[in-house]
Amino acid sequence: MGILEKISEIEKEIARTQKNKATEYHLGLLKAKLAKYRAQLLEPSKSASSKGEGFDVMKSGDARVALIGFPSVGKSTFLSLMTSTASEAASYEFTTLTCIPGVIEYKGANIQLLDLPGIIEGAAQGKGRGRQVIAVARTADVVIMMLDATKGEVQRSLLEKELESVGIRLNKHKPNIYFKPKKGGGISFNSTVTLTQCSEKLVQLILHEYKIFNAEVLFREDCSPDEFIDVIVGNRVYMPCLYVYNKIDQISMEEVDRLARKPDSVVISCGMKLNLDYLLEVLWEYLALTCIYTKKRGQRPDFTDAIILRKGASVEHVCHRIHRSLASQFKYALVWGTSTKYSPQRVGLTHTMEHEDVIQIVKK
C-alpha cells in the first residue's frame, strides 16, 4: 500500500469516527500518523530521474506576496493591473505555466508579487505542479488567495485544505507550547492553563507515535492535538492570508455585501478595475511594513528615499540597513515622529521606530 492510499484510509477513518471522550485518544493517534505520512509525501524523491524543473524566483524588494488560486480566477490579469509586468491572460485554464514575478510600488516600498500557476485539487500530492507552487508560497510574507466570486465557497475550502496539508497555516499564530526533546528522564508534562482538548495521556501517545520517549512539554494555552503535532513537526509556516474575491461585477449586490463583510476578505473586479486601491491599503496593513526617513545634520529630511522595515523595528535595525558597521560607531540618534514623546528626541539603539518617523544618526 502506497503513502497516498494510507493517507486516504486514515482520512476515511477520521471522518467515520464519532468525536467524543472515548475516541479522543484514537483520533489523536490517527492525526499523528496522518501528519507523518504527509511529511513523507513532501520529501523530494531520492531518484535522480525525477528531477523536476523548479521555478523559485529570487527574492527582491521589501516584501514578497504569493498569488495563489484555481486556474482562470484572474490572477494574471490582476498581476498585469497592479504591476508593469505583463502576464499572459486568456479565457482558458492553465494559461500561466511558470512563476511570473512583478513589483508593486506603494508608499515608497517595492512589494514583489508572484503570479503562480493555478492550483488544482490534489496539489499537495504533486498534481499539476502543485508541489512547486506550494513550495514558493511558503517563502512569501503574505498569501493572496484569489477566488472566483461566482463559484461560492467551494474554492476557498479546497485551497485551505491543500495548504493545510503541506503545513501552511493561514491567519493563525504559532501554538504557545514549549517542547524540548531530551536524552533521558522520560516525558515531563505541565500546563499553565486548564486543558480541554489535550490530556497528558494523549500527549504521551502522540509522542510515542513519533518515537519520542524523553521530552519536556509545557502547554501555555489550551491547544488541540493538531496544534501539538504542528509543534513536534516544527516545519509549519504561519502566515497572514487575504481572501480576494474577483469578478464581483457578475454577482448581485447582496452577495457582494456578504462576501465583503467576511473576515480577511476583499472584493474586487479586475475586468472593471473596481476596489483595487482599497486592496492595496489592506495588503499594506497585512505586510506590517514601516517607512523610515533619514536626515543629515543641518539638512532637511530626505522624503524621496525611505528605508522600509518590519513593524517593531528598532534604531539598530535602521543602522544595519544603512551600513553594517554603523551600529558599532553609534553614539545616539535624534528621532522626529509618533514614536517619541517630543520632537526631536534623543534615543538609543533599542528605541522602536514607527511609520514615517525621521531619524538622524550621530556617530562617535
Side-chain angles (χ1 to χ4, degrees):
M1 190 189 273
I3 295 176
L4 286 174
E5 287 82 18
K6 286 177 183 173
I7 288 174
S8 164
E9 285 296 312
I10 293 172
E11 282 176 341
K12 281 175 191 165
E13 192 166 344
I14 289 174
R16 64 172 173 256
T17 305
Q18 286 187 325
K19 289 174 179 65
N20 55 43
K21 271 272 184 259
T23 59
E24 65 177 13
Y25 298 120
H26 179 57
L27 281 170
L29 270 177
L30 287 174
K31 283 172 179 173
K33 281 182 179 164
L34 190 60
K36 256 173 78 175
Y37 287 136
R38 279 183 175 156
Q40 285 174 24
L41 197 66
L42 289 174
E43 285 168 9
S45 56
K46 303 282 188 289
S47 61
S49 61
S50 63
K51 275 190 179 173
E53 182 205 343
F55 47 63
D56 196 4
V57 176
M58 195 173 157
K59 216 167 185 174
S60 71
D62 303 297
R64 178 180 246 196
V65 176
L67 196 56
I68 63 165
F70 281 105
S72 283
V73 289
K75 298 190 296 300
S76 299
T77 313
F78 177 74
L79 181 86
S80 305
L81 284 173
M82 300 305 254
T83 70
S84 55
T85 310
S87 181
E88 195 183 337
S91 55
Y92 54 85
E93 295 194 343
F94 298 109
T95 320
T96 305
L97 295 171
T98 183
C99 177
I100 296 164
V103 176
I104 302 172
E105 290 175 12
Y106 187 67
K107 291 191 178 178
N110 289 333
I111 301 162
Q112 188 182 36
L113 183 68
L114 300 179
D115 176 19
L116 296 168
I119 284 185
I120 56 171
E121 207 179 335
Q125 280 87 45
K127 286 186 187 171
R129 311 204 76 183
R131 212 176 284 180
Q132 291 116 305
V133 173
I134 290 165
V136 176
R138 282 174 76 95
T139 65
D141 299 301
V142 169
V143 165
I144 289 184
M145 194 182 281
M146 196 74 127
L147 302 160
D148 191 332
T150 60
K151 291 189 177 167
E153 294 301 301
V154 186
Q155 288 193 344
R156 179 168 169 169
S157 55
L158 282 172
L159 279 171
E160 281 175 343
K161 192 180 159 196
E162 291 296 333
L163 295 177
E164 190 88 10
S165 65
V166 293
I168 296 177
R169 304 285 178 262
L170 302 174
N171 297 331
K172 287 182 184 173
H173 66 280
K174 202 172 180 180
N176 196 352
I177 300 172
Y178 172 76
F179 169 72
K180 187 183 179 184
K182 295 189 299 183
K183 293 263 169 67
I187 290 167
S188 116
F189 176 84
N190 273 306
S191 67
T192 57
V193 292
T194 309
L195 299 181
T196 59
Q197 305 174 74
C198 263
S199 66
E200 187 171 353
K201 187 183 167 189
L202 182 54
V203 164
Q204 286 179 345
L205 280 169
I206 291 170
L207 287 171
H208 289 172
E209 180 62 38
Y210 279 92
K211 306 278 189 291
I212 298 169
F213 302 100
N214 304 292
E216 263 181 75
V217 179
L218 172 64
F219 275 69
R220 296 196 185 102
E221 63 179 350
D222 186 16
C223 294
S224 66
D226 292 330
E227 289 173 314
F228 179 56
I229 290 165
D230 284 353
V231 171
I232 298 170
V233 176
N235 65 351
R236 303 303 190 227
V237 180
Y238 298 86
M239 61 169 69
C241 173
L242 198 54
Y243 301 98
V244 176
Y245 291 90
N246 188 21
K247 306 182 185 178
I248 55 166
D249 49 311
Q250 297 173 26
I251 56 172
S252 66
M253 277 308 292
E254 292 79 9
E255 184 66 5
V256 171
D257 186 55
R258 188 186 70 78
L259 291 174
R261 289 177 190 278
K262 293 179 76 136
D264 308 306
S265 299
V266 177
V267 290
I268 63 161
S269 168
C270 291
M272 296 181 79
K273 298 182 184 174
L274 299 174
N275 217 24
L276 296 175
D277 48 351
Y278 174 66
L279 171 56
L280 274 179
E281 276 176 45
V282 177
L283 182 61
W284 179 262
E285 280 173 36
Y286 274 64
L287 285 166
L289 297 174
T290 50
C291 297
I292 313 292
Y293 299 107
T294 53
K295 176 187 180 303
K296 287 180 181 172
R297 198 171 189 165
Q299 292 181 18
R300 294 178 71 81
D302 179 13
F303 290 117
T304 56
D305 189 20
I307 294 172
I308 310 292
L309 295 164
R310 293 290 144 131
K311 206 167 265 185
S314 65
V315 173
E316 192 172 358
H317 290 109
V318 178
C319 292
H320 286 309
R321 181 57 74 89
I322 296 168
H323 195 275
R324 61 170 179 254
S325 66
L326 189 57
S328 58
Q329 302 168 353
F330 179 86
K331 189 177 180 187
Y332 65 88
L334 295 172
V335 175
W336 292 256
T338 51
S339 69
T340 56
K341 288 178 184 170
Y342 43 87
S343 291
Q345 185 174 325
R346 189 168 163 163
V347 299
L349 280 173
T350 55
H351 176 78
T352 304
M353 305 293 288
E354 284 184 14
H355 187 51
E356 294 187 337
D357 277 1
V358 174
I359 186 168
Q360 178 189 323
I361 293 167
V362 180
K363 294 199 283 189
K364 285 175 188 168

